Amino acid sequence: MATTASPSPPSRSIFLGVDVGTGSARAGLFDDSGKLLGSASSPIQIWKDGNCVEQSSTDIWHAICAAVKAACSLANVSGEEVSGLGFAATCSLVAVDADGSPVTVSWSGDARRNVIVWMDHRAIKQAERINSCNSPVLQYCGGSLSPEMQPPKLLWVKENLQESWSMAFRWMDLSDWLSYRATGDDTRSLCTTVCKWTYLGHAHMHQMNEKDSRDMEACGWDDDFWEEIDLGDLVDGHHAKIGRSVAFPGHPLGSGLTRTAAKARNFELGLTAGIPVGSSLIDAHAGGVGVMESVPVSDQNAKEDDKETICHRMVLVCGTSTCHMAVSQSKLFIPGVWGPFWSAMVPEYWLTEGGQSATGALLDYIVDNHVAAPLLANRAASRSISLFELLNKILESLLHDSKTPFLSALTKDLHVLPDFHGNRSPIADPKAKGMVSGLTLDTSEKQLALLYLATIQGIAYGTRHIVEHCNSHGHKIDTLLACGGLAKNHLYIQEHADIIGCPITLPRENESVLLGAAILGAVAAKKYPGLHDAMKALNATGQVIHPSTDPNVKKYHDAKYRIYRELYEQQLSHRSIMKQALA
């Protein structure tokens, strides 16, 4: 009896995104509708000593391998099914020698410590000196470089670690190093080079168009700038140490994943050699790519062909820090806000990037350093909820037991300026400090809950300041989209909606940074014509949080926002008084 073979099931298009954050490496697998199939994380080591914060690229790669294998196992996906791979990472600085081995960037001399983490502020003086040069490139960084960017950090190494400076063969943004480690291709991303290295993406594209060439020669470096800040040796060899070739995010690199990266001896990704790997994104920008088109279908259909629609949105990537990403069709120069960056996130749009250096990190600091925290942490663990969820419940109980008209009003006597790690935007003052007004001797869990709420509000007032500042300089932001760990906290998001007065859309998939990284792999695999097309196909909307309609809530937050602004003015006054006293 003849039998008919059953048709084999259609092959799946599965894209892998890898994200290296401050404390862990994560991997996520997505199908061709942008649905998360499975994700996993693995911790990474970090060394902190004052303003110096360091990591190991070797440790990071091992953590990635562990996370990828675990994610594939959880998603029941074999390595052979993955059809594209993309990387996102913090904008940390990696040093390697000619063999690709780590070069220390640490006072300790520890060879493992070859990564200066994004939040490292050792180069404040170098940043001040660079900014005093008033180079034309600075106008594309909000007027000044932050010590979190790469030129000040590079100058610090040259001035303090001469042996490391002479040994380093490549200086790379972490996400570029990951794609290089995976493919052997040293092509850098427009995202990293434009946002953190002063590369002029618009100049790059202008020269590319004039040449009508497909090569990736880096045309956007301003050699006069590097000479002026005493880093002229980085110009040598057509900028070999900082990037001879630069490409759009998602550009397919080399011949794809190398055999070594696919199957290393001790740690293996467990993937197929040759799968396409896209040029990388900074993690916050990957979050933007993973969420910016996550708007309700009705909104998409209303202005489907309107290129201006996306320009009314701002993405909040809320993690250890918060990045505020908005795009425009024309370049907008905004004092104290990074950019305009050409094609650094969405191709052929100018990117404006605001930020707060400590948000999730600040909430952790406020809570962890309170005497009531250990007992609350134990209680939260016994209920299998997070400490923040427990604090939210305590606040609801306080509202129920008090005569307060609405939850936000519980903090009428408590005000927080959240600049505990300086102000990135829009004041651009790395010397700014945090302030708390309204402390008492109360050490109860209720007092901790109130301090936690006041800190959330302080962070939200900072975001309101950024949105208002951007809109006063040409943006038309009226819709926010939020992703990242803090976006899972309903109180955090509701306070932001109430304080800013905008609806906040959450994506269907919580892991927007991983999705953004996976989209790079999809573009490299030629599954979509371009990055923006992939965003529209793979982004999907979830819940929409609307601001309160109670006019008293707006009146309350307007008053607290005024106090928030006054706290910084008081700090400047105090700084001036003490400077005169010590003169």
Side-chain angles (χ1 to χ4, degrees):
M1 180 177 175
T3 59
T4 302
S6 59
S8 57
S11 59
R12 298 189 288 177
S13 290
I14 294 176
F15 311 115
L16 171 61
V18 171
D19 166 41
V20 177
T22 308
S24 65
R26 303 183 306 136
L29 294 141
F30 297 84
D31 65 18
D32 55 10
S33 70
K35 183 174 177 57
L36 179 65
L37 303 176
S39 65
S41 66
S42 182
I44 53 180
Q45 192 168 4
I46 190 166
W47 291 273
K48 293 183 180 180
D49 184 10
N51 278 333
C52 296
V53 189
E54 296 152 356
Q55 289 177 327
S56 159
S57 64
T58 304
D59 174 62
I60 288 170
W61 185 256
H62 289 173
I64 287 171
C65 295
V68 168
K69 288 197 295 182
C72 287
S73 176
L74 287 169
N76 195 26
V77 169
S78 68
E80 291 78 12
E81 292 182 280
V82 175
S83 53
L85 167 62
F87 292 97
T90 63
C91 50
S92 300
L93 178 65
V94 183
V96 294
D97 64 17
D99 297 325
S101 300
V103 173
T104 184
V105 292
S106 174
W107 278 121
S108 69
D110 186 341
R112 295 174 299 169
R113 293 155 71 166
N114 71 317
V115 180
I116 300 180
V117 179
W118 66 271
M119 66 169 63
D120 184 293
H121 274 201
R122 71 181 70 183
I124 289 178
K125 291 182 179 178
Q126 284 76 14
E128 291 173 345
R129 292 211 310 274
I130 292 172
N131 291 330
S132 70
C133 295
N134 294 317
S135 169
V137 303
L138 299 181
Q139 65 180 315
Y140 291 93
C141 305
S144 62
L145 288 187
S146 161
E148 295 175 14
M149 293 178 177
Q150 309 306 10
K153 291 175 178 175
L154 290 164
L155 186 56
W156 184 94
V157 175
K158 182 176 183 179
E159 293 177 346
N160 292 278
L161 299 174
Q162 280 292 328
E163 185 176 356
S164 293
W165 184 255
S166 61
M167 287 177 60
F169 186 76
R170 285 187 175 90
W171 294 98
M172 309 185 78
D173 235 74
L174 178 54
S175 59
D176 283 329
W177 179 81
L178 296 174
S179 59
Y180 167 69
R181 176 68 175 78
T183 65
D185 186 341
D186 190 22
T187 297
R188 314 295 175 94
S189 169
L190 267 174
C191 177
T192 58
T193 51
V194 169
C195 294
K196 305 302 174 186
W197 296 74
T198 72
Y199 188 80
L200 302 176
H202 53 291
H204 168 98
M205 291 311 300
H206 176 69
Q207 293 190 39
M208 288 281 289
N209 290 337
E210 281 191 342
K211 292 190 302 179
D212 192 24
S213 169
R214 286 180 157 234
D215 68 54
M216 292 294 147
E217 182 183 344
C219 307
W221 294 117
D222 185 320
D223 293 350
D224 291 340
F225 167 73
W226 295 102
E227 296 283 356
E228 188 176 17
I229 67 171
D230 197 29
L231 289 175
D233 37 347
L234 295 178
V235 174
D236 296 345
H238 299 287
H239 318 94
K241 291 187 176 182
I242 57 174
R244 293 183 65 172
S245 60
V246 179
F248 280 108
H251 174 78
L253 297 174
S255 300
L257 192 66
T258 65
R259 290 185 179 276
T260 302
K263 298 284 185 183
R265 180 178 300 172
N266 295 320
F267 292 85
E268 58 185 47
L269 289 171
L271 304 175
T272 303
I275 66 169
V277 178
S279 56
S280 60
L281 284 163
I282 298 167
D283 54 355
H285 303 64
V289 167
V291 75
M292 187 158 254
E293 287 290 354
S294 299
V295 293
V297 174
S298 58
D299 292 359
Q300 290 178 334
N301 294 338
K303 298 181 179 179
E304 193 166 350
D305 298 324
D306 186 358
K307 291 185 177 180
E308 184 65 22
T309 304
I310 193 174
C311 301
H312 288 258
R313 305 169 194 157
M314 175 177 274
V315 174
L316 310 183
V317 186
C318 315
T320 302
S321 62
T322 293
C323 292
H324 306 71
M325 325 291 286
V327 297
S328 57
Q329 290 187 278
S330 58
K331 54 185 174 183
L332 301 174
F333 295 98
I334 305 177
V337 179
W338 295 346
F341 299 134
W342 171 250
S343 292
M345 189 174 76
V346 182
E348 301 186 17
Y349 283 86
W350 293 89
L351 171 67
T352 294
E353 181 184 351
Q356 295 165 288
S357 293
T359 51
L362 176 58
L363 288 171
D364 289 341
Y365 174 84
I366 290 293
V367 172
D368 293 346
N369 284 279
H370 195 280
V371 67
L375 284 175
L376 279 178
N378 288 336
R379 193 188 313 163
S382 69
R383 297 185 185 181
S384 298
I385 60 174
S386 73
L387 181 53
F388 291 159
E389 287 177 284
L390 181 57
L391 288 168
N392 292 348
K393 292 180 182 295
I394 291 172
L395 288 169
E396 290 170 4
S397 296
L398 287 174
L399 175 64
H400 183 266
D401 295 340
S402 70
K403 296 181 180 179
T404 308
F406 45 85
L407 189 141
S408 299
L410 290 169
T411 60
K412 61 183 176 63
D413 297 320
L414 194 56
H415 311 281
V416 174
L417 182 71
D419 297 336
F420 284 55
H421 199 56
N423 183 286
R424 187 189 296 171
S425 305
I427 299 169
D429 181 1
K431 294 182 178 179
K433 302 292 188 292
M435 299 173 70
V436 182
S437 171
L439 290 176
T440 70
L441 293 177
D442 186 354
T443 60
S444 68
E445 61 183 42
K446 293 180 180 179
Q447 191 275 337
L448 171 55
L450 294 176
L451 184 57
Y452 155 75
L453 175 58
T455 304
I456 288 177
Q457 292 170 340
I459 292 168
Y461 297 132
T463 293
R464 173 173 168 174
H465 193 187
I466 291 168
V467 172
E468 289 183 353
H469 188 70
C470 288
N471 282 346
S472 70
H473 285 82
H475 276 287
K476 299 175 182 177
I477 299 159
D478 57 22
T479 300
L480 303 181
L481 301 101
C483 64
L486 292 177
K488 301 172 186 176
N489 184 332
H490 72 88
L491 176 64
Y492 186 91
I493 295 300
Q494 187 64 61
E495 289 296 295
H496 274 69
D498 292 346
I499 286 167
I500 302 162
C502 290
I504 301 181
T505 299
L506 303 178
R508 180 190 65 192
E509 302 297 336
N510 288 327
E511 302 293 354
S512 298
V513 177
L514 286 176
L515 175 58
I519 286 173
L520 298 174
V523 175
K526 308 294 186 185
K527 300 292 185 179
Y528 301 94
L531 186 66
H532 201 182
D533 300 285
M535 290 167 60
K536 290 179 177 179
L538 299 177
N539 286 191
T541 189
Q543 186 179 7
V544 179
I545 309 299
H546 294 278
S548 171
T549 56
D550 185 344
N552 291 319
V553 172
K554 182 181 186 305
K555 181 180 177 182
Y556 174 82
H557 284 305
D558 286 346
K560 286 206 67 166
Y561 180 60
R562 178 182 171 186
I563 293 171
Y564 161 87
R565 297 289 295 271
E566 289 177 353
L567 285 174
Y568 179 72
E569 296 302 321
Q570 291 173 13
Q571 184 175 140
L572 289 181
S573 175
H574 298 165
R575 198 186 293 178
S576 176
I577 291 168
M578 296 313 300
K579 183 178 181 179
Q580 292 176 26
L582 293 170

